[in-house]
Amino acid sequence: MDDSIYTSYPPQLTPEQKEYLVGEVKNWALHHGLAVKPPPTFIPKESDPVGVLSSNAPVTLFPSPFPRSGYESAVAVQTTYNKLYAAISSDEAWLGKIIEELVEADDFIANLWKIHVRVKEEGYVQPLSLGLFRSDYMVHTPQGSTAPSLKQVEFNTISSSFGGLSSLVSAMHTDFLSFPPENPITYPAHPILKDNVPPDNSAVATLTGGLAAAHEAYGPSKSSPALPLCILFIVQDGERNLFDQFELSTRLTKFHEIPVFRVTTKDVLKSTSIPSTNPSRPLIYTPLHAPSVKFEATTIYLRGFYGPGDYPDETGWDARTHLERSAAIKCPSVLSQLSGCKKVQQILAEATGPDHLAHLLSGTDPKLVSQVRETFAPQYDLSVSGRGRELALDPSTAATHVLKPQREGGGNNIYRESIPAFLRSIPEKDWKGYILMELIQPPTTAKNMMLRSDGQVLSGHVIGELGVFGTILWKDDGEVLHNDQGGWLMRTKGKDSDEGGVAAGFSSLDSILLV
Amino acid sequence: MDDSIYTSYPPQLTPEQKEYLVGEVKNWALHHGLAVKPPPTFIPKESDPVGVLSSNAPVTLFPSPFPRSGYESAVAVQTTYNKLYAAISSDEAWLGKIIEELVEADDFIANLWKIHVRVKEEGYVQPLSLGLFRSDYMVHTPQGSTAPSLKQVEFNTISSSFGGLSSLVSAMHTDFLSFPPENPITYPAHPILKDNVPPDNSAVATLTGGLAAAHEAYGPSKSSPALPLCILFIVQDGERNLFDQFELSTRLTKFHEIPVFRVTTKDVLKSTSIPSTNPSRPLIYTPLHAPSVKFEATTIYLRGFYGPGDYPDETGWDARTHLERSAAIKCPSVLSQLSGCKKVQQILAEATGPDHLAHLLSGTDPKLVSQVRETFAPQYDLSVSGRGRELALDPSTAATHVLKPQREGGGNNIYRESIPAFLRSIPEKDWKGYILMELIQPPTTAKNMMLRSDGQVLSGHVIGELGVFGTILWKDDGEVLHNDQGGWLMRTKGKDSDEGGVAAGFSSLDSILLV
């Protein structure tokens, strides 16, 4: 695929075509639950105090072209990536050394590490861990290169979201491309759109398959008398992205026939308990509205507790500790969450020194190991003097880099020319809390149109980010019980916007057409 | 079932239970498209100019108890009712006599009749008609009666709505009653709720089955060269109840693989045409946004054009005439719409004089004919002096009656003590435009709670109305090609509210538990 494919895409819309397409998108989205709670900037809380409104998730009107080779290589390495991060989480010595370097510079990492240390002292009672992972990539097309390659932006080990809504966007674009079967009329004619649909998107089946595998592996109730078993989704109060989560919980209850309950981070200590008399430490769930009923949680799936905002005071940390010491299978455990630190990614990518990747993936087909390695973008340590600091402090080299803290999620990165001044504004001892990554260079001429959640239609040059979902269930001795990949997420943002948080509304959910 | 079943139902909710249940209802509804466009009193147009918001349809929190015998008898007579109204529409002489009496008193009826006369003069080119009907009933429990019976409120022959949303309400209440399977916790324990779910609700399959049968019966394209075939939904501009319609169109496209397009009443003349050179008069659809594409409509399903508001000027009548003279199978034809006049219902129910019912249903099992007859409430002619006028003008007897114009839909009826003064306020020659019906006496102690589309939770005494869906495809010579029933609608309104328009927000969609 060369860049020229983008120049005529997407097709121009007449006013009638635009009105029709926008109408189809909003109707399809609301009918199928491709939705979010409307942003407060659009509908203030006082206009809808009970919260009965939804609006379309921010979505592109057209699917985006994506190089087939890149998509296929991302899919091909996903189960190896799963194994890699399971191995990192199981290698406490290796991971602990990295984390202990970070605790000085990052309170959040320090507090998470404290939880692990404390539970380890008491003794973990659950040897199994579950990962629902998403590896995010951009197409890299540096000037003068002959073929695009795929470079990893980040690897998400906690609250990897949008599997549900992403599947729906694929289904929506597929419907538009193929309705009616012989004479599709939703889009104007265009060579890229002709007889083409997005690749199968099995994100919901893959992610729920992982949760169901954990539920099964938990075994019988550890309570006496035995309690009915369930999965808990630990969610944020006021979550706007809940329809994404419902795609997973509905499939778990309907297809896997596993009860799922939602518990907000602030209700964890109120509605769950661990009987002090039971050394197996089962996590007992008692619904706040039905206090006479008890379930035992086999698996806790965290869609909260991933960032500092979910720990407004000490009870947040107490709640996370409480979950960590329980017998429930954690998705993720504290160690698995910490394995997603940017510092880990940077160390794996180091071109010199020990070959951590080969060590962690020992026993894996070397071809797969090198395929994983090819996805690494150049990235640098800032803890000591050296190449990283040189690149970061010189404005001319900083211009092609991004500075990342350990945090997941958008909004925390420092870009390009802002890097030197930012670093000089914080104590040098805190620099090790960041890593420097060379910016990936996506195609510059890609365009799309998007319908925001507030109804605004935007169009212009865009940058896409492809996430591939995987799930793995492993034992602390390294044994892997379930390792699967399937499904993907395409996020497309305006080219001028450096951050990619879809829920914030300056970025869209998309799907892909392989070219 | 005696009235006492209602006194302890629904179970009382603690504040925690209420919060949980309301949360489950709104989340389930928005996730599954059990939705409406928010009413303008809740979200004014200027707050959401593009119309990207939806909110839950107004729904009851609990299903309502309903007598099993009543439900079963309504289901048992539906295909006979289908045949009856097909026979009425096919018997132009019989129906025409009734209608010609009404044209003086009712402009709307007069204009519809004119369309029929005009098209008949030119000659109809399509012998087939399709009915998607809904027969509405209330439980009648007069003082001193030993068993409740079911009395018909009205028979809907055009735009019979809520098949889609009603199926979703049944599914929602079923989920609540059975989740998790062994330990349902959404509702507090109650004998009526235990091990009970609503009867199967196949409204969507039944209604789309009728449309698909018509599409099939239309045969090959009448155009040369042949055009691809489709079904058109004729809808109102600014329709708030469009998610109900999407349940039907989505099943038609996905399950029956029939293309469906939506055309607003005001766009009919712009986007459809009948080639003057083709004596078969196929109805050609050209999407406004894709003017180079042509489809031929086999079937037009009217979800608009049912009331005067859809004919703001002459072009509305022109558009309806244009559709009527085309080769598309009409759902409904003008005659079939007119067969739904209250006057027809009243004449069928006349206790003295010719036995119209037996005549129209000649050849039908007399037991079924008498089952149909048992559903009639006493109703009276007001065109001449007699029992009807006596009952209507005396305040003491008017108090147990309702005065109905010919119009379908809520908002036009005159109730009880208001009847005498209303009649005296209009010319006596217009009285024949109305019929007088004895009020059905529903159970007085039924209660429920409802979540409105604006988030308000109401509770109190309620009255329920059960609609049963049926579909029939017939030829103008009386031959029946397809006759089916299946699916139902329960609407529950506050007891103090005499009218039942769900979309207006003072009434709710409900489901039933047979007791």
Side-chain angles (χ1 to χ4, degrees), chain B residues 90-102:
Chain B
S90 303
D91 193 340
E92 197 219 6
W94 187 88
L95 178 61
K97 201 169 147 238
I98 297 168
I99 299 302
E100 283 177 345
E101 286 281 302
L102 292 172

Side-chain angles (χ1 to χ4, degrees), chain A residues 130 132 207-215 231 233 248 252 299 301 331 471:
Chain A
L130 177 67
L132 298 191
L207 298 174
T208 56
L211 287 161
H215 182 79
I231 292 176
F233 280 26
L248 304 187
L252 283 169
T299 310
Y301 172 48
C331 177
T471 180

Side-chain angles (χ1 to χ4, degrees), chain B residues 7-39:
Chain B
T7 54
S8 72
Y9 188 87
Q12 283 285 321
L13 297 176
T14 64
E16 292 79 13
Q17 286 168 338
K18 182 176 163 186
E19 186 187 346
Y20 182 82
L21 183 52
V22 169
E24 292 295 294
V25 168
K26 71 184 182 191
N27 287 341
W28 198 103
L30 293 170
H31 179 48
H32 292 85
L34 173 48
V36 293
K37 290 279 176 189

